[in-house]
Amino acid sequence: MVTLPNVQSSNALIASALPPGLVAVFVGATNGIGATTLKQLAKHARQPRVYFVGRSQEAGELIAAECKALNSEGEYNFIRADTSLIRTVDDVCRDIKAKEKSVNLLFLSTGTLIFGTKTSEGLHYASVLVHYSRARFILNLLPLLQQATALRRVVSVFTGGKEGPVDTTDLQGWNVPMLAQRGHASSLVTLSLEVFAKKAPNVSFIHGFPGPVKSGIGRGTKGALMFTLKAVFTVRGLLVNMPVEECGERHLFLATSARYPAGTEGNVAPGVPLAGGVKVARGTDGNDGSGVYSIDQYGESAGPKVEELLAKMKKDGTEGKIWNNMEEEFKRIAGEAVV
């Protein structure tokens, strides 16, 4: 376990270890994990330039003001958008690419507990927010990430370490049983990151699991089952939830620490140097510092069981089917593979 003091010590070095003017893109940052991590970045980085995307203009303006109060030298640009639509994702990325030549950090934390709903583009709403939309952001912004110096990282917050079997006949998860949904979707996220790492070995990719923490993931859910689940989680959360501030600190550590370097040999942009006995993390292929990481709430890598499952799904063609399906959907919706 990476201790909280180790996390805090690393974060305190961001201003001296990383250059001023880091460019970060946060998707899903108007509440919960994205918002608290953004505030921690504002607190610790020098003159950060941030683009953060969400649906609520009111919440976006509030968070921008809070970040400005934490660090008046930073720029905090809110983009109001519904990222469940691939065409909207493309519009957001075009806007960012018109203003920036490089991006240091892409932080993705959108999610929902709404299942069985189809977007206007014909995709499963729950699967879009966790898989397709996030992958589209990565695909579109990957050239800018590759151009960055000092830090080149993607953090996708979902259920790292909880990967499970994938139903390749139902990748969007329309009919995947509820108890199997987490493992199915988790593997989609991790295996997609594996492909991105092959295309951009100088960028590091992290699939993180925040553990129990207060967030807005249950917004918009309906029905007796969801009402009961939210009530249970609320009561349980009073006992086991990680404090929101600690969650933000730990995710900023994921986003900036050299514990999670890119897989390129001789990586020149690993992040904040390691200290206090903290070592380079083991990647999803079982090797230290290999560029893709499936991480729990305490900064530790997934174990051999997950590594073996991922290796099996790469070998049996599951990874390729996930990628091909994603490309087909992007071309169907947007008419092009990337913007």
Side-chain angles (χ1 to χ4, degrees):
M1 180 177 101
V2 181
T3 68
L4 184 57
N6 283 148
V7 166
Q8 293 169 334
S9 295
S10 179
N11 291 349
L13 293 174
I14 290 173
S16 58
L18 299 178
L22 291 176
V23 177
V25 177
F26 282 75
V27 182
T30 50
N31 66 83
I33 297 160
T36 187
T37 307
L38 170 53
K39 292 173 190 176
Q40 288 296 323
L41 179 69
K43 179 180 178 181
H44 290 287
R46 285 184 292 159
Q47 301 168 12
R49 191 158 62 253
V50 179
Y51 299 87
F52 65 108
V53 187
R55 292 179 297 177
S56 170
Q57 185 70 36
E58 181 181 1
E61 292 174 356
L62 176 62
I63 291 168
E66 291 175 338
C67 288
K68 201 68 175 179
L70 288 167
N71 183 347
S72 61
E73 295 185 341
E75 296 179 23
Y76 313 99
N77 306 289
F78 175 64
I79 302 173
R80 184 174 181 269
D82 178 1
T83 58
S84 70
L85 299 175
I86 300 303
R87 292 190 189 95
T88 301
V89 171
D90 286 350
D91 290 341
V92 172
C93 291
R94 286 190 188 97
D95 183 30
I96 294 171
K97 293 173 83 168
K99 298 173 181 176
E100 301 294 342
K101 294 182 179 180
S102 65
V103 169
N104 298 99
L105 171 66
L106 175 57
F107 191 95
L108 306 154
S109 59
T110 50
T112 185
L113 292 177
I114 300 174
F115 293 92
T117 298
K118 183 181 290 188
T119 71
S120 61
E121 294 175 335
L123 295 175
H124 190 185
Y125 182 69
S127 188
V128 170
L129 291 180
V130 168
H131 174 49
Y132 294 94
S133 172
R134 296 187 188 200
R136 190 64 172 177
F137 270 107
I138 299 172
L139 190 63
N140 286 340
L141 297 178
L142 200 58
L144 273 66
L145 285 156
Q146 291 179 282
Q147 291 298 316
T149 59
L151 185 70
R152 295 185 289 263
R153 187 161 300 176
V154 174
V155 178
S156 189
V157 182
F158 184 51
T159 51
K162 310 298 180 183
E163 290 82 356
V166 170
D167 183 348
T168 57
T169 68
D170 184 18
L171 290 173
Q172 292 186 39
W174 287 105
N175 299 303
V176 173
M178 184 62 69
L179 293 179
Q181 281 280 357
R182 183 175 72 172
H184 173 93
S186 182
S187 290
L188 295 188
V189 173
T190 302
L191 289 171
S192 296
L193 295 182
E194 296 274 7
V195 178
F196 281 120
K198 294 173 188 174
K199 296 179 178 295
N202 63 336
V203 177
S204 64
F205 297 86
I206 300 172
H207 178 191
F209 174 57
V213 64
K214 184 178 181 181
S215 73
I217 195 170
R219 289 177 303 172
T221 53
K222 299 177 181 179
L225 175 59
M226 285 301 175
F227 177 82
T228 301
L229 285 174
K230 286 197 286 187
V232 170
F233 287 142
T234 298
V235 174
R236 180 174 178 268
L238 295 174
L239 302 175
V240 301
N241 272 7
M242 179 181 289
V244 172
E245 184 173 1
E246 178 180 346
C247 179
E249 292 174 318
R250 287 189 174 278
H251 281 84
L252 182 62
F253 176 80
L254 288 184
T256 57
S257 172
R259 177 168 165 78
Y260 312 101
T264 304
E265 187 174 349
N267 178 27
V268 296
V272 177
L274 300 179
V278 176
K279 299 180 180 179
V280 170
R282 189 178 67 252
T284 52
D285 62 357
N287 296 312
D288 292 344
S290 54
V292 182
Y293 308 90
S294 185
I295 302 297
D296 71 12
Q297 65 263 49
Y298 298 115
E300 293 294 342
S301 301
K305 184 177 179 180
V306 167
E307 294 169 4
E308 291 169 6
L309 175 64
L310 293 172
K312 177 180 179 295
M313 288 192 287
K314 293 178 195 176
K315 186 176 181 179
D316 68 14
T318 298
E319 179 184 81
K321 291 177 182 178
I322 292 169
W323 184 263
N324 290 339
N325 167 262
M326 188 175 70
E327 284 193 323
E328 289 169 2
E329 293 293 354
F330 289 163
K331 290 178 181 177
R332 175 183 66 81
I333 294 167
E336 51 190 339
V338 64
V339 299

